[in-house]
């Protein structure tokens, strides 16, 4: 078995969901073209879902990190770096960027901003439907492993009606905390930027839950608008 197989990697059966029954909707392209920090905050509580064999499997996003492109020393596109691996980051907001690290982990990112502005939001952790282990998708590698997401999906348009999508639902927005990002000590002053956002009440976050600031206090989550 190859360490990083293709699109046929199946998701964990415990993540089975019914998007229609749950009242899920998709946000328009304009949602993803906004400032990356705004998109990152609004992805907390959204669902990432994968279709396989005619069924949907998904998990609610509880932890993300924002990466701010050419001025961000922690971003793959820092100083305008443009390689075959990084190219999906330069696409329109709403595309998927997946990279492979340490010879074992896939990491999924949601591309933001208009085409040519290479910024993205890393999905750090999610929680599956009721009954799934809380740490099943805790960490970028575990998240991709549970959903069967590999670099074969990098560059896919999440709004094309395909097999990987982001869904949102109306309801109370989670309490969101913010800290510096994890594992970017190499990034100079950018390592301290407060760009990691997480659901304060979720046991599934992958990193420390020490609160630096509370950003959102129980607003009603927008279903399909592009407002901040």
């Amino acid at each position: 078995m190859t360490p990083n197989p293709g699109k046929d990697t199946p998701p964990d059966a415990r993540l089975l969901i019914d998007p229609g029954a749950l009242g899920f909707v998709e946000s328009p392209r304009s949602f993803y073209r906004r400032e990356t920090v705004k998109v990152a905050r609004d992805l907390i509580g959204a669902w990432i879902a994968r279709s396989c064999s005619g069924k949907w499997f998904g998990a609610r996003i509880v932890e993300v990190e924002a990466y701010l492109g050419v001025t961000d020393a922690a971003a793959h596109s820092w100083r305008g770096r443009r390689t075959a691996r990084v190219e999906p980051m330069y696409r329109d907001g709403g595309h998927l960027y997946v990279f492979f690290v340490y010879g074992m982990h896939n990491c999924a990112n949601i591309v933001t901003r208009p085409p040519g502005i290479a910024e993205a939001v890393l999905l750090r952790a999610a929680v599956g439907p009721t009954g799934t282990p809380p740490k099943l998708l805790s960490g970028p590698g575990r998240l991709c492993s549970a959903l069967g997401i590999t670099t074969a999906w990098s560059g896919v348009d999440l709004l094309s009606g395909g097999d990987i999508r982001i869904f949102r639902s109306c309801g109370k927005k989670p309490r969101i905390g913010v800290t510096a990002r994890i594992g970017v000590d190499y990034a100079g002053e950018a390592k301290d930027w407060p760009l990691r956002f997480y659901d304060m009440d979720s046991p599934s976050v992958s990193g420390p839950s020490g609160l630096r600031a509370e950003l959102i206090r129980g607003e009603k989550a927008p279903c399909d608008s592009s407002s901040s």
Side-chain angles (χ1 to χ4, degrees), residues 43-119:
L43 282 173
I44 300 296
W47 285 67
I48 180 169
R50 159 101 188 272
S51 176
C52 183
S53 300
K55 299 178 181 179
W56 282 98
F57 303 83
R60 183 172 60 85
I61 299 166
V62 297
E63 182 184 1
V64 301
E65 289 178 347
Y67 286 85
L68 306 183
V70 297
T71 62
D72 183 352
H76 289 174
S77 53
W78 183 47
R79 292 180 174 173
R81 183 187 298 122
R82 196 159 187 166
T83 64
R85 180 181 79 157
V86 177
E87 189 63 29
M89 285 187 73
Y90 287 86
R91 296 188 181 182
D92 205 351
H95 280 74
L96 190 67
Y97 167 47
V98 186
F99 61 88
F100 194 54
V101 294
Y102 307 131
M104 64 179 72
H105 297 306
N106 292 285
C107 299
N109 302 257
I110 309 301
V111 176
T112 58
R113 309 301 305 278
I117 303 177
E119 301 185 11

Side-chain angles (χ1 to χ4, degrees), residues 146-167:
L147 286 166
I149 296 174
T150 72
T151 55
W153 292 97
S154 194
V156 165
D157 186 353
L158 297 168
L159 286 87
S160 66
D163 291 336
I164 296 185
R165 305 186 198 180
I166 299 293
F167 292 112

